[in-house]
Amino acid sequence: MKRHLTETLKKWKTKADRKPLLILGARQVGKTWLMQEFGKAEYKQVVYIRFDRNTRVHRIFAESNLNMKELLADIQTEMEVKITPNHTLLILDEIQECPAALTALKYFCEDLPEYHVMAAGSLLGVHQHHGTGFPVGKVQTLHLYPMNFREFLEAMGKHELVQLLNSHNWAKIALFNDKFEHLLKSYYCVGGMPEAVNKYVETENYAEVREIQLNILSDYNNDFSKHVPATLATKLSLLWNSVPMQLSKENKRFVYGNVQKNMRSKDLEAAMDWLHRAGLVHLVHRVNTPSLPLGAYHDGAFKLFFADIGLLAAKVNLRPSVILNHNEIFKEFKGALTEQYVQQELRASGTTELHYWHAETTHTELDFMLQADMNVVPLEVKAEHNTKAKSLLNYCRRYTPPLAVRASMNDYAVNSLQTNGNQQTTLLDIPLYAISLLTTEAEKALLQRQEALH
């Protein structure tokens, strides 16, 4: 497999002001694999420490008093290796299990900057240590998400299709639209959890993939009872189980009262925070005013998505044949699955905070609001080739944005949309299978518009 974050790791390795690197992500998204494969490819030696399996190394860090030279010597004794700058990658895995090791990252940065140190941990566990020794400003933090569609294509050996997408040659890309569509629907079934992708690459058997997905979901459920009090575990399960139902509504806004009758937000706030910090769900906040910064205009409402599209399909027992064969009974949930996919791709591409827009006086909504080149860009998502976009048109007539985007199974296109009077909005149509290229294409369309106006 190939993860695009590897290119970021290569840049980290050669930075003059390199800090220890902390990779965060939900369980089973591939953090350990990424670090170890990078170490094998880029260093002469990898020293791998996993804190949930080595009690002595816990004591080494806890009793070091942050004397870094002594700590390094003790690690070398424990691991029976010589750690050398530039040639050794020191990996500290499951670092949330050892708060002293998390604190030590600060002193690796200050006292031993010549050593290459990489750490990984669960989002939830690391967040719990914020304010209690967390090395603020002394680490570079990266988030790893499930494999995106292009990474899925790479794993499937479809290197030519990936190169074609990366070329942005839209005329040629359109020639292979059917191939991309078929593979995208396969991705909807498999998702981006590395173990599931690996199984599909080996077997192309959806039943075996589904078994892995159900095991992952079971592991997550077990975490609820293992790491939290019983009362909170019950609320976690209720909240977790309600996400697919809430997404299936035409109005996908999350409603606490739909989790269980008479439930209120204050009853579920702790459970919501736990799931979010664990990386198992992602919030897309609603804004009523499409102005920058979008984060300043949250109105408290939000949509709630899973971490992975394959896990969502498994959670609702959506059979792959239903997704692959355009089954009519799938019509209602198709929109939810497509929005899940788009938000997942956008996050993996670096857009970590997402929003959607709702008009206060009407029922008009837009699926996502993005920022590109200091502009607010509305994005409407369509599951198939039908691109009637009433909400997008109403929004453009109301606000006349310089750029609006429509994502669907249609081919790439750039057109002008007449809005108010002589004003026009550039309308960018982008295929769903190429949504990871949206930021680049949006910036290019805005630049071309600016040049045309001048």
Side-chain angles (χ1 to χ4, degrees):
M1 291 190 293
K2 182 180 179 183
R3 301 303 304 264
H4 295 162
L5 205 59
T6 301
E7 296 306 312
T8 305
L9 302 189
K10 289 179 180 178
K11 292 176 183 175
W12 167 80
K13 180 187 176 185
T14 58
K15 285 176 73 172
D17 57 347
R18 183 189 58 255
K19 299 175 182 178
L21 185 68
L22 178 60
I23 301 177
L24 299 174
R27 280 189 58 194
Q28 303 186 53
V29 294
K31 300 184 294 293
T32 299
W33 182 90
L34 176 65
M35 294 187 298
Q36 290 183 327
E37 288 299 306
F38 177 72
K40 289 176 191 173
E42 297 290 330
Y43 292 86
K44 290 182 180 178
Q45 178 179 247
V46 176
V47 175
Y48 178 76
I49 294 172
R50 182 163 170 163
F51 286 104
D52 61 343
R53 293 181 181 173
N54 190 323
T55 55
R56 179 156 44 216
V57 85
H58 264 270
R59 290 182 57 195
I60 288 171
F61 275 87
E63 297 172 8
S64 68
N65 294 319
L66 300 174
N67 180 328
M68 297 309 290
K69 289 186 178 178
E70 182 180 316
L71 173 63
L72 194 64
D74 288 345
I75 292 172
Q76 290 178 142
T77 301
E78 166 66 10
M79 305 305 292
E80 299 181 359
V81 293
K82 176 71 174 174
I83 299 175
T84 56
N86 301 316
H87 300 302
T88 304
L89 177 63
L90 175 59
I91 296 176
L92 307 176
D93 204 359
E94 301 293 349
I95 196 169
Q96 78 280 351
E97 300 292 336
C98 184
L102 195 59
T103 303
L105 293 179
K106 172 182 177 181
Y107 299 97
F108 272 112
C109 177
E110 293 179 348
D111 301 341
L112 301 174
E114 68 273 22
Y115 288 88
H116 294 227
V117 181
M118 193 177 284
S122 75
L123 279 162
L124 179 69
V126 171
H127 273 299
Q128 288 173 338
H129 298 300
H130 269 274
T132 56
F134 187 84
V136 177
K138 301 298 181 179
V139 294
Q140 180 180 342
T141 303
L142 293 177
H143 287 260
L144 184 65
Y145 296 99
M147 297 171 72
N148 69 9
F149 180 55
R150 279 191 290 172
E151 289 173 325
F152 173 75
L153 291 179
E154 289 276 12
M156 289 290 294
K158 308 296 183 182
H159 309 300
E160 294 81 5
L161 291 179
V162 174
Q163 289 174 5
L164 189 55
L165 279 179
N166 292 341
S167 74
H168 295 251
N169 186 335
W170 296 105
K172 284 195 175 181
I173 289 170
L175 288 174
F176 299 95
N177 186 297
D178 58 330
K179 284 182 179 285
F180 283 117
E181 280 194 33
H182 174 73
L183 287 161
L184 180 58
K185 286 174 181 175
S186 295
Y187 179 74
Y188 282 11
C189 302
V190 177
M193 300 304 281
E195 187 182 358
V197 173
N198 191 49
K199 179 58 69 176
Y200 185 69
V201 170
E202 288 177 358
T203 66
E204 294 197 21
N205 185 313
Y206 290 114
E208 293 187 36
V209 169
R210 179 56 56 87
E211 188 177 339
I212 287 170
Q213 291 166 335
L214 292 174
N215 284 338
I216 293 172
L217 289 171
S218 177
D219 288 345
Y220 288 166
N221 268 313
N222 290 338
D223 284 346
F224 299 163
S225 56
K226 200 182 297 180
H227 299 298
V228 299
T231 52
L232 181 57
T234 301
K235 291 177 181 177
L236 282 170
S237 294
L238 286 170
L239 190 58
W240 174 247
N241 292 334
S242 81
V243 175
M245 176 273 292
Q246 305 245 14
L247 283 175
S248 68
K249 300 180 301 179
E250 183 178 353
N251 175 359
K252 298 175 179 61
R253 178 173 66 88
F254 188 87
V255 178
Y256 284 101
N258 289 344
V259 175
Q260 192 177 64
K261 193 175 180 181
N262 298 324
M263 277 277 186
R264 294 171 295 176
S265 60
K266 69 176 185 179
D267 300 319
L268 293 165
E269 280 175 355
M272 178 68 76
D273 186 62
W274 195 98
L275 287 174
H276 177 56
R277 288 181 182 274
L280 302 188
V281 297
H282 295 300
L283 280 70
V284 176
H285 296 280
R286 189 175 74 182
V287 296
N288 289 325
T289 304
S291 299
L292 296 177
L294 286 167
Y297 297 95
H298 294 175
D299 66 1
F302 59 90
K303 299 178 190 176
L304 198 62
F305 293 92
F306 264 37
D308 177 65
I309 189 170
L311 294 183
L312 176 60
K315 181 71 175 169
V316 298
N317 195 26
L318 185 59
R319 296 178 67 85
S321 58
V322 175
I323 298 174
L324 297 169
N325 299 327
H326 303 280
N327 196 307
E328 277 301 308
I329 64 170
F330 172 50
K331 191 173 182 181
E332 288 301 317
F333 200 68
K334 191 183 296 180
L337 206 63
T338 308
E339 277 191 50
Q340 165 71 42
Y341 161 74
V342 169
Q343 70 85 31
Q344 190 170 329
E345 289 284 295
L346 293 173
R347 287 185 198 282
S349 300
T351 308
T352 54
E353 189 176 357
L354 292 170
H355 308 84
Y356 76 102
W357 174 79
H358 176 84
E360 291 180 291
T361 54
T362 69
H363 294 298
T364 305
E365 274 190 7
L366 280 176
D367 301 312
F368 298 100
M369 304 295 288
L370 308 173
Q371 181 176 331
D373 193 27
M374 300 309 295
N375 291 286
V376 174
V377 178
L379 166 61
E380 186 153 21
V381 175
K382 297 294 183 181
E384 291 290 347
H385 294 274
N386 174 17
T387 54
K388 290 181 180 177
K390 279 187 181 179
S391 294
L392 187 63
L393 183 59
N394 289 338
Y395 177 91
C396 291
R397 285 173 175 164
R398 181 172 177 178
Y399 294 105
T400 316
L403 176 69
V405 180
R406 188 168 52 189
S408 69
M409 288 297 193
N410 281 3
D411 292 336
Y412 178 92
V414 180
N415 295 294
S416 288
L417 184 67
Q418 197 74 28
T419 52
N420 295 320
N422 294 324
Q423 294 181 303
Q424 290 184 334
T425 291
T426 298
L427 178 61
L428 170 64
D429 277 291
I430 191 164
L432 285 165
Y433 54 76
I435 198 71
S436 63
L437 307 176
L438 175 57
T439 300
T440 303
E441 288 301 321
E443 289 174 353
K444 185 168 73 176
L446 285 166
L447 181 61
Q448 290 171 346
R449 173 190 171 90
Q450 202 171 31
E451 290 171 350
L453 291 173
H454 287 87

